[in-house]
Amino acid sequence: MKTIRVVGIVWFGLLSFMCKAQESSVQKAIENNIFEGLEEPVKPEETEFYGPVPPIVNPTGQKGVPSDAVILFDGTGFKEWERAEDSGDVLWGLNAKDESMTVSKGGSKINATIQTKRVFGSVQLHIEWKSPEKIKGKGQQRGNSGVFLQGRYEVQVLDNNNNETYVNGQVASIYKQSIPLAMASVPTGEWNTYDIIYHAPQFNDKGEKTKSATITVLHNGVLVQDHYEIKGTTAYIGWPKNPPHGKAPIKLQDHGDAVSYRNIWVRELD
């Protein structure tokens, strides 16, 4: 009787192993879209997977922010930020009324661009911004700022309401590279949102880029960049460059205009 029980346990274990192995091979085939040499499944359970089980994320677990997100700015201070030029104190202003911060010029000697103290690779980034209510200037001199992924790939921030400029430098463009699919700005002085899905580029041991960065941007809920393949750095002058790099800060640009930001959070994807 004992022998039969042991054999039964061994057989059950072997059967379970074989099922898991079959499930794994089918799962890999579907994930990689390679089915050559595999028999067509004839039962629905043959294409059902039970692992890995996704982690549970409460989408509003941190006062409206996903429970696994890093809150970069909630209006209470600059603990997550530093001046990009020299890692000094942030010069921007805090606005208690709407829990935002506003770009303040650093003067002729200091660029007041800020960056995160933490470094990031692939991310989901949520950020809200608005141009000044009393807007001045035209073209690129009108509510100009920018969100830089890994410190070098810019999503343009600009007030384009009744304000024409070059289209690969307009609001929600990947600066000097990708024209947005639509111009989805709200009226001047109201809050815009960017929801960004960014996948970092990859480099080999020789410093050669083996995979380009990609970016998807929703501007006020409207898809404006659709898994765009970033060509390299978003330079003001010259071609995109691809120097090797790892994780790096997120930057918000001081361009001399009083643009405001609020409710900034990020979920790391790598």
Side-chain angles (χ1 to χ4, degrees):
M1 190 72 174
K2 186 176 181 181
T3 302
I4 295 174
R5 184 181 300 172
V6 171
V7 171
I9 293 172
V10 171
W11 172 248
F12 180 80
L14 181 61
L15 184 62
S16 177
F17 174 79
M18 291 171 64
C19 289
K20 288 181 178 179
Q22 182 180 7
E23 177 182 313
S24 177
S25 63
V26 171
Q27 187 167 352
K28 287 180 179 179
I30 292 176
E31 288 174 351
N32 298 319
N33 197 32
I34 299 175
F35 309 108
E36 186 177 352
L38 293 177
E39 293 184 10
E40 179 81 15
V42 295
K43 298 179 181 179
E45 58 267 25
E46 292 178 327
T47 50
E48 297 170 357
F49 313 142
Y50 293 90
V53 178
I56 295 174
V57 175
N58 184 335
T60 58
Q62 297 186 76
K63 298 180 180 179
V65 175
S67 57
D68 64 343
V70 176
I71 298 175
L72 295 176
F73 184 75
D74 62 2
T76 60
F78 298 114
K79 63 181 180 179
E80 292 286 347
W81 299 88
E82 63 187 9
R83 201 160 61 239
E85 185 173 68
D86 56 9
S87 301
D89 292 338
V90 173
L91 301 177
W92 296 16
L94 280 176
N95 310 303
K97 184 177 179 180
D98 59 5
E99 298 182 329
S100 70
M101 58 179 168
T102 300
V103 178
S104 297
K105 298 180 183 179
S108 59
K109 295 183 179 179
I110 299 176
N111 186 307
T113 293
I114 64 174
Q115 67 183 18
T116 56
K117 294 178 181 178
R118 307 190 199 203
V119 294
F120 299 97
S122 301
V123 294
Q124 174 188 349
L125 173 65
H126 176 89
I127 189 165
E128 300 173 16
W129 62 271
K130 72 172 182 176
S131 55
E133 292 180 15
K134 295 182 179 179
I135 198 74
K136 297 179 181 180
K138 61 181 180 179
Q140 293 289 304
Q141 306 304 317
R142 185 182 172 101
N144 192 327
S145 184
V147 180
F148 287 77
L149 286 306
Q150 294 193 299
R152 45 180 61 77
Y153 310 114
E154 181 185 8
V155 181
Q156 175 75 308
V157 168
L158 192 71
D159 188 324
N160 271 129
N161 295 320
N162 301 312
N163 178 40
E164 293 185 0
T165 187
Y166 47 93
V167 291
N168 63 340
Q170 75 168 66
V171 64
S173 63
I174 308 306
Y175 188 69
K176 286 290 184 81
Q177 291 189 36
S178 180
I179 302 167
L181 300 173
M183 205 287 274
S185 295
V186 296
T188 298
E190 295 185 11
W191 286 100
N192 290 269
T193 64
Y194 279 166
D195 286 291
I196 299 169
I197 308 298
Y198 169 77
H199 290 279
Q202 297 177 12
F203 301 88
N204 62 21
D205 293 339
K206 296 179 181 179
E208 300 166 332
K209 186 175 73 171
T210 57
K211 188 175 183 179
S212 294
T214 60
I215 190 166
T216 296
V217 181
L218 281 82
H219 184 192
N220 296 321
V222 176
L223 181 66
V224 293
Q225 299 289 345
D226 189 4
H227 199 67
Y228 173 72
E229 186 176 289
I230 298 175
K231 310 310 178 191
T233 53
T234 52
Y236 177 49
I237 300 174
W239 299 123
K241 306 295 190 301
N242 287 283
H245 63 84
K247 292 186 177 183
I250 295 168
K251 290 185 180 181
L252 301 179
Q253 185 183 42
D254 162 26
H255 205 283
D257 294 336
V259 175
S260 298
Y261 290 94
R262 72 178 184 185
N263 192 19
I264 307 172
W265 52 263
V266 64
R267 296 180 63 244
E268 297 186 78
L269 302 179
D270 56 7

